């Protein structure tokens, strides 16, 4: 492992290793078979890519063995993988594929309906669970790692194009090189003591950086096995962990909450799992998870861009993310001036007493591995202002140097660990004939991240029709699965500032506790219903139980 500088070298190291390397419910491959399968796919890719084309392929798959096989193949070939988010729809989905210059798209039959009617000129679509796909691969079965490349294979070679939403417009594709991905894997191997007899359970979607950077890469670097779940299932989590002999997994906060909601049993600690690594579980749920399953959850902060990282270490206070990772010069600064913010003052209960002066944007003032966005120089410049890396996230720091997440500097919403752009949701809601205006903004989730709230202006005297609204939403081809508003505030007109801009600050401050009617979509229900005083009281209690009551304000 020492000195390995590329993902390709890590894949090549699997050659000749006949231990179990990759499996799901229907397939078991040795490390050697993974390397051989990757070599065959790399050779096929080289033949399929047109001469002079960018060496990029899109992968629109559930977590099947084909996903890591194509990641490995891309590394061997010197190509880059764009993970395509299946919750995107219509023209927005086509835009993601075309923007990243993919000339090959790897998908499966279950995802083909997403491509119906899309214009994808010059793109070869491979459908993995078909006879035609097997026939296409067959001539390359004897390929070996290194036989076929489309360009230089080195630490600077592009490896991933990971979409990450900004405040406005379409998602940006963050570049991750082979060197950075290999280094991230090696760092986690050292940090968590990954061993060759470990099994990394991947239940988070592999189009997201969480699964690839924090789960697949350390397994590859440490020689551990990978076990896949096609899509996350809370009810199937413990069964998978036991059947696969899993020792490590990654998560996002909502997933942890779903697992905790499953019925408890006397044998909940009967498994090999020892560690979970992720973001946004929240201290309350992390403690509950450890108490029930005997598994420690380690919280971290990072992004697909790789510009700043925070690691939770023993002794980190409740509510804090942790301290800056080794070698990073992180500071909380005034976004307007760049001046460092003073330390936070916290009450004995952990309440922030000087938020106005302590909260600022988190920046990395030292060298960092941010490698830019694909074909987006404006976004690159915004991230690298003044030689610093600007995260776009608000934090505060206590007197001991521990960092606490406080929110976001723009109109992004982070729902189930996915960033959403408010403007894109507004554009969809504006199509509803019943409304004369729409504003979308974040309200805090009781556990972690945000929930989507929309303010809709309806003509005087026109009632909100939840059934008609549901029918409208279901008919929108570009409405992603996480974009549906949890709360809908109905008012005769949108509040505006003196410059005639929508007064988002006021909307966010009032949230769902406002003077106008609010309709909400409780978990598991299909139609919005009127939010009552009893509902508000129940919601407030849920925030307090999770230690997030302060985020509601007032």
């Amino acid at each position: 492992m020492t000195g390995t500088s590329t993902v390709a070298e890590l894949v090549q190291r699997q050659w000749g290793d006949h231990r179990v390397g990759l499996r799901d419910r229907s397939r078991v491959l040795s490390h050697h078979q993974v390397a051989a399968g990757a070599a065959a796919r790399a050779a096929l890719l080289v033949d399929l890519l047109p001469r002079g084309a960018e060496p990029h392929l899109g992968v629109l798959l559930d977590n099947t063995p084909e996903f890591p096989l194509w990641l490995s193949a891309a590394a061997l070939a010197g190509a880059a993988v764009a993970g395509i988010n299946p919750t995107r729809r219509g023209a927005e989905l086509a835009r993601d594929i075309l923007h990243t210059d993919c000339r090959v798209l790897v998908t499966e039959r279950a995802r083909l309906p997403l491509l119906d009617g899309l214009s994808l000129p010059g793109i070869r679509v491979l459908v993995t669970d078909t006879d035609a796909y097997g026939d296409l691969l067959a001539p390359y079965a004897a390929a070996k790692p290194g036989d076929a490349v489309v360009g230089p294979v080195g630490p600077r070679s592009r490896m991933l194009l990971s979409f990450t939403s900004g405040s406005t417009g379409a998602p940006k594709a963050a570049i991750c090189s082979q060197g950075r991905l290999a280094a991230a894997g090696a760092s986690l191997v050292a940090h968590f003591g990954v061993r060759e007899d470990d099994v990394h359970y991947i239940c988070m979607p592999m189009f997201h950086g969480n699964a690839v950077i924090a789960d697949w890469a350390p397994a590859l670097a440490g020689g551990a096995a990978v076990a896949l779940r096609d899509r996350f299932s809370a009810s199937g989590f413990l069964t998978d962990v036991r059947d696969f002999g899993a020792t490590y997994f990654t998560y996002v906060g909502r997933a942890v909450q779903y697992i905790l909601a499953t019925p408890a049993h006397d044998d909940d600690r009967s498994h090999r799992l020892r560690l979970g690594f992720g973001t946004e579980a929240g201290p309350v749920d992390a403690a509950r998870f450890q108490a029930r399953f005997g598994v420690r959850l380690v919280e971290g902060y990072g992004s697909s861009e790789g510009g700043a990282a925070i690691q939770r270490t023993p002794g980190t206070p409740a509510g804090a993310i942790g301290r800056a990772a080794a070698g990073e010069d992180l500071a909380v600064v005034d976004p307007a001036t760049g001046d460092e913010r003073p330390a936070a003052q916290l009450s004995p209960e952990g309440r922030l007493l000087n938020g106005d002066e302590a909260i600022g944007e988190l920046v990395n003032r030292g060298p960092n591995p941010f490698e830019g966005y694909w074909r987006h120089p404006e976004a690159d410049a915004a991230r690298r202002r003044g030689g610093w890396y600007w995260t776009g996230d608000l934090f505060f720091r206590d007197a001991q140097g521990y960092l606490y997440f406080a929110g976001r500097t723009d109109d992004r919403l982070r729902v189930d660990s996915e960033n959403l752009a408010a403007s894109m949701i507004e554009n969809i809601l504006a199509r509803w004939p019943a409304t004369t205006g729409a504003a979308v903004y974040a309200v805090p989730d009781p556990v972690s991240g945000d929930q989507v709230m929309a303010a809709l202006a309806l003509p005087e005297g026109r009632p909100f029709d939840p059934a008609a609204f549901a029918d409208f939403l279901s008919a929108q081809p570009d409405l992603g699965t996480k974009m549906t508003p949890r709360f809908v505030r109905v008012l005769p007109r949108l509040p505006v500032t003196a410059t005639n801009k929508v007064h988002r600050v006021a909307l966010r401050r009032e949230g769902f506790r406002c003077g106008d009617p609010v309709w909400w979509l409780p978990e598991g229900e299909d139609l919005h219903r009127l939010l009552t005083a009893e509902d508000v009281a129940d919601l407030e209690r849920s925030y307090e139980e999770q230690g997030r009551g302060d985020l509601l304000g007032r």
Side-chain angles (χ1 to χ4, degrees), residues 147 166 187 189 220 397 432 477 482:
D147 280 357
S187 175
V189 167
L220 188 65
R397 188 199 299 261
W432 193 33
K482 301 183 190 304

Side-chain angles (χ1 to χ4, degrees), residues 38-62:
R41 286 159 179 78
L44 171 61
L45 179 65
V46 170
D47 282 352
L48 291 181
L49 284 173
R51 185 178 299 276
E54 293 290 352
H56 298 171
L57 67 145
V59 177
L60 178 61
L61 293 171
D62 285 337

Side-chain angles (χ1 to χ4, degrees), residues 280-366:
E280 302 178 358
V284 173
D285 283 344
R288 290 173 177 167
F289 198 90
Q290 184 160 15
R292 176 173 166 183
F293 299 106
V295 177
R296 182 169 64 102
L297 300 184
V298 178
E299 287 280 296
Y301 169 87
S303 65
S304 299
E305 294 96 333
I310 301 171
Q311 289 183 345
R312 187 177 183 89
T313 55
T316 298
I321 301 294
R323 287 185 166 124
E328 302 215 355
D329 180 14
L330 302 187
V332 177
V333 305
D334 183 329
T337 66
D339 295 333
E340 191 161 359
R341 294 291 202 182
Q345 299 172 14
L346 302 172
S347 73
E349 298 78 27
R351 183 185 298 272
L352 178 62
L353 303 177
N354 63 335
D356 287 346
E357 62 179 18
I359 293 176
E361 184 168 353
L362 183 71
V363 300
N364 190 345
R365 300 179 296 195

Side-chain angles (χ1 to χ4, degrees), residues 62-119:
D62 285 337
N63 289 358
T64 70
E66 289 292 338
F67 208 127
L69 282 168
W70 276 103
L71 286 171
S72 297
L76 293 177
V81 169
I84 307 301
N85 184 343
T87 69
R88 301 269 283 169
R89 295 292 186 272
E92 299 298 337
L93 178 64
R95 177 265 169 197
D96 292 350
I97 299 167
L98 296 171
H99 170 70
T100 44
D101 294 311
C102 296
R103 302 303 293 271
V104 173
L105 178 65
V106 181
T107 189
E108 56 199 329
R109 284 182 291 183
R111 295 299 187 190
L112 286 178
L114 295 178
L115 305 179
D116 285 347
L118 299 190
S119 177

Side-chain angles (χ1 to χ4, degrees), residues 95-175:
R95 177 265 169 197
D96 292 350
I97 299 167
L98 296 171
H99 170 70
T100 44
D101 294 311
C102 296
R103 302 303 293 271
V104 173
L105 178 65
V106 181
T107 189
E108 56 199 329
R109 284 182 291 183
R111 295 299 187 190
L112 286 178
L114 295 178
L115 305 179
D116 285 347
L118 299 190
S119 177
L120 300 172
I123 295 177
R124 177 71 177 269
V125 177
L126 307 183
V127 185
T128 60
D129 49 350
T130 61
D131 291 339
Y133 178 73
D135 294 341
L136 199 62
L137 269 177
Y140 304 95
K144 295 181 180 179
D147 280 357
V149 297
V150 291
V153 178
R156 294 176 179 268
S157 301
R158 287 190 299 274
M159 175 72 209
L160 300 176
L161 298 169
S162 298
F163 282 106
T164 174
S165 297
S167 60
T168 58
K172 303 178 292 291
I175 297 169

Side-chain angles (χ1 to χ4, degrees), residues 204-285:
M204 297 293 100
M206 292 194 74
F207 67 80
H208 191 272
N210 170 284
V212 176
I213 298 172
D215 212 341
W216 180 72
L220 188 65
V226 167
L228 299 173
R229 174 81 186 202
D230 56 352
R231 302 185 198 183
F232 171 72
S233 167
S235 61
F237 176 82
L238 200 53
T239 298
D240 281 351
V241 163
R242 288 172 176 149
D243 290 350
F244 292 140
T247 58
Y248 171 98
F249 78 110
T250 58
Y251 62 87
V252 296
R254 182 66 63 186
V256 168
Q257 188 181 40
Y258 288 155
I259 295 168
L260 287 169
T262 61
H265 297 285
D266 292 340
D267 61 350
D268 278 344
R269 290 183 170 223
S270 177
H271 52 73
R272 293 183 62 213
L273 193 64
R274 69 171 188 272
L275 181 69
F277 177 54
T279 61
E280 302 178 358
V284 173
D285 283 344

Side-chain angles (χ1 to χ4, degrees), residues 460-504:
E460 196 75 38
R462 181 164 187 168
F464 177 77
D465 184 342
F469 187 62
D471 289 341
F472 162 78
L473 293 177
S474 66
Q476 305 312 302
D478 51 350
L479 184 76
T481 56
K482 301 183 190 304
M483 292 182 177
T484 297
R486 185 73 179 274
F487 299 95
V488 177
R489 177 178 179 175
V490 178
L491 65 177
R493 65 190 62 85
L494 297 177
V496 296
T497 66
T499 58
N500 253 351
K501 295 181 179 178
V502 176
H503 200 334
R504 298 177 189 280

